[in-house]
Amino acid sequence: MRHLYINGAWTASVSGEGIDVVNPATEETIDTVPAGAPDDAEAAVLFARAAFPAWANTAPAERGKLLAAAADLLRQRAESVARTISTDMGSPYGFALKVQTLMPAGVLASYAQMAESHPRESRVGNSVVVKEPVGVVAAITPWNYPLHQIVCKVAPALAAGCTVVLKPSEVAPLAAYALAEIFHEVGLPRGVFNLVSGRGPVVGEALAAHPEVDMISFTGSTGAGRRVAALAAEGVKRVALELGGKSANLILPDADLPVAVKAGVANAFVNAGQTCSAWSRMIVHRDQYDQAVRMAVEAARKYLVGDPFDEATRIGPLVSAAQRDRVVRYINTGQEEGARLIIGGTERPLDRGYYVEPTIFAGVEPGMTIEQEEIFGPVLSIIPFTSEEQAVQIADGTRYGLSGAVWAGTQERALAVARRLRTGQVSVNGGQFNPHAPFGGYKHSGIGRELGEHGLEEYFEIKSLQL
């Protein structure tokens, strides 16, 4: 069994218990990580607190140098880390390499640069406004992007001068261990970064409630985010939450329909649909609806389900048996509520592995469960509209507001509609994801922003000095 990483050393958990890590493609146990205990969280927090003053006072350039070294080492090990991620949570290897590993390496490198370049002081009249690190940060991260979501929190926190205790998802924790090894090898000072694996109700709640933790940065479900926020509120901690999504792909009548539909299907099915920002609702004008449905089905047929290490595979397994069961329940609910299942469904496409076929529903109406709730699997709902006003209402008609897309005949029209949507990110006529732009949500999709300078700002306290 692996160990925890606390105060610069690999340390056995006081619990003595382990959590099996299962390969979702084979259903075989591939590793065991510690089921951390509250006492482990306590030790990690106290070491992070002890390390904070020296790290906060370390020259920003020196902090940046260590982060840059870590980014370089991650790039050198990218193929190995990507294989780990594919085995751990099922992403096809090519996606795991490009998006799950090399993109986080780029984000880490960007914060290495910002550690030194980001301004820490400004003048406002007779005042000097100073940015100071918030303190000890507890980072609680999910399984769907098991390295990227860690880097989005840990890199800006370290760049700002904070110390960190990381609790990765126990479902797919191995990428976190790979990053801890990298931080250890580049010489990050003891106590600056700590890793405590374990279950959310045990380790996560201990961190959220700990009086020596100054900030919680959490990514996960909206329900779990509420619990984290409630615990943090008792200590008046700063909270950053990146939660669920039910994002809309809004295709206006003058858009290039084949391009918009193909891109929408791709976005809905990426990472087997296990993406909080996935465009899981396609909103199409009623006059083009049947045509769009046919196009979506044709596109979906090209998404081969299979082994993550097979180059032909476009959809790997879902991360766990529990996640597969959840997605199957939603597919059944969609049919029970009257939506038309036009491709895919609940049959197991392979003899083993937690697979779900790419699934599309037509005849979906606003308010249906599959139109309102985050499914987190390769399931796309196609919804008709009759006017631009109605399309915007449907797009904004869920409790979420994380991402989305707008397609129109001109950039100006698409941008005008995108500005109306209550959501944190909008792709305009196919605009690509930018890992240096702020990412986060409105409404129940969260509080705060990650990535870029906005992500760094989350980890500062602001002090005003009157002269």
Side-chain angles (χ1 to χ4, degrees):
M1 184 166 64
R2 291 177 181 251
H3 287 63
L4 309 176
Y5 186 72
I6 299 176
N7 197 35
W10 295 101
T11 306
S13 169
V14 299
S15 75
E17 299 176 0
I19 300 171
D20 288 340
V21 181
V22 176
N23 180 337
T26 65
E27 305 183 35
E28 297 171 341
T29 298
I30 56 172
D31 210 330
T32 304
V33 299
D39 284 350
D40 297 316
E42 170 82 10
V45 169
L46 294 183
F47 281 119
R49 171 60 62 196
F52 172 64
W55 182 245
N57 288 313
T58 298
E62 183 61 29
R63 292 201 297 264
K65 187 181 300 182
L66 288 166
L67 293 178
D72 288 343
L73 194 51
L74 178 56
R75 287 193 182 102
Q76 292 172 28
R77 298 181 180 177
E79 292 183 356
S80 172
V81 173
R83 284 194 296 271
T84 294
I85 292 172
S86 291
T87 306
D88 198 7
M89 59 76 58
S91 278
Y93 174 74
F95 182 82
L97 178 61
K98 181 179 178 181
V99 176
Q100 297 265 29
T101 307
L102 291 176
M103 185 171 72
V107 171
L108 185 54
S110 75
Y111 282 114
Q113 189 272 330
M114 274 186 271
E116 182 175 7
S117 65
H118 191 75
R120 304 300 177 95
E121 292 190 6
S122 60
R123 285 293 294 262
V124 179
N126 68 309
S127 300
V128 177
V129 179
V130 180
K131 298 174 185 177
E132 298 180 343
V134 71
V136 176
V137 174
I140 303 173
T141 57
W143 47 259
N144 60 325
Y145 288 83
L147 180 61
H148 176 68
Q149 294 289 353
I150 290 170
V151 169
C152 285
K153 301 178 187 307
V154 172
L158 296 179
C162 301
T163 55
V164 176
V165 180
L166 169 66
K167 204 295 284 185
S169 169
E170 68 274 20
V171 178
L174 301 183
Y177 279 83
L179 184 64
E181 291 166 359
I182 287 171
F183 282 149
H184 183 80
E185 290 184 36
V186 300
L188 205 63
R190 295 164 65 92
V192 169
F193 172 82
N194 306 271
L195 165 62
V196 181
S197 58
R199 297 181 174 87
V202 178
V203 176
E205 294 204 3
L207 292 173
H210 199 290
E212 291 295 331
V213 170
D214 299 294
M215 176 178 173
I216 306 288
S217 182
F218 171 86
T219 297
S221 71
T222 297
R226 287 196 196 96
R227 176 61 177 164
V228 167
L231 290 169
E234 291 295 321
V236 198
K237 302 182 194 304
R238 181 175 297 190
V239 176
L241 303 174
E242 198 270 280
L243 306 176
K246 193 67 181 177
S247 300
N249 180 25
L250 199 168
I251 306 174
L252 295 170
D254 60 343
D256 186 331
L257 187 65
V259 170
V261 170
K262 182 179 179 181
V265 169
N267 189 283
F269 293 161
V270 73
N271 207 35
Q274 299 171 124
T275 301
C276 55
S277 57
W279 306 342
S280 55
R281 296 181 298 146
M282 184 180 292
I283 303 174
V284 185
H285 195 277
R286 193 170 292 278
D287 291 345
Q288 299 174 314
Y289 188 80
D290 291 342
Q291 185 182 4
V293 168
R294 288 193 297 270
M295 290 176 177
V297 170
E298 183 180 352
R301 288 200 173 107
K302 298 176 182 177
Y303 281 76
L304 181 67
V305 173
D307 181 349
F309 293 98
D310 185 334
E311 290 185 3
T313 294
R314 298 187 72 178
I315 294 185
L318 299 181
V319 74
S320 66
Q323 186 62 20
R324 185 187 187 280
D325 290 347
R326 168 189 167 91
V327 173
V328 166
R329 285 195 299 271
Y330 273 111
I331 294 173
N332 287 330
T333 298
Q335 295 178 87
E336 291 164 5
E337 293 185 359
R340 299 196 320 273
L341 181 67
I342 57 174
I343 190 171
T346 60
E347 296 297 320
R348 298 178 68 99
L350 299 173
D351 292 337
R352 65 175 181 172
Y354 308 128
Y355 291 93
V356 171
E357 291 183 315
T359 297
I360 298 177
F361 281 98
V364 180
E365 297 294 334
M368 286 184 173
T369 299
I370 59 171
E371 192 268 339
Q372 288 286 308
E373 297 185 13
E374 184 175 47
I375 298 172
F376 232 58
V379 181
L380 173 64
S381 296
I382 307 181
I383 307 137
F385 72 89
T386 56
S387 69
E388 182 179 302
E389 188 65 33
Q390 184 190 31
V392 171
Q393 289 176 355
I394 293 170
D396 283 343
T398 75
R399 62 178 176 162
Y400 298 110
L402 186 58
S403 188
V406 176
W407 302 80
T410 66
Q411 188 88 336
E412 292 74 20
R413 187 182 182 204
L415 187 59
V417 174
R419 290 182 185 278
R420 297 179 63 189
L421 300 183
R422 297 281 296 168
T423 190
Q425 281 202 344
V426 185
S427 169
V428 176
N429 275 351
Q432 297 298 302
F433 177 76
N434 179 359
H436 305 296
F439 181 85
Y442 289 31
K443 300 186 286 186
H444 286 204
S445 287
I447 301 169
R449 293 294 181 268
E450 294 187 325
L451 296 173
E453 293 192 356
H454 292 82
L456 182 60
E457 291 286 348
E458 296 285 340
Y459 297 92
F460 288 124
E461 290 283 12
I462 307 299
K463 178 184 290 182
S464 179
L465 307 174
Q466 277 54 263
L467 303 180

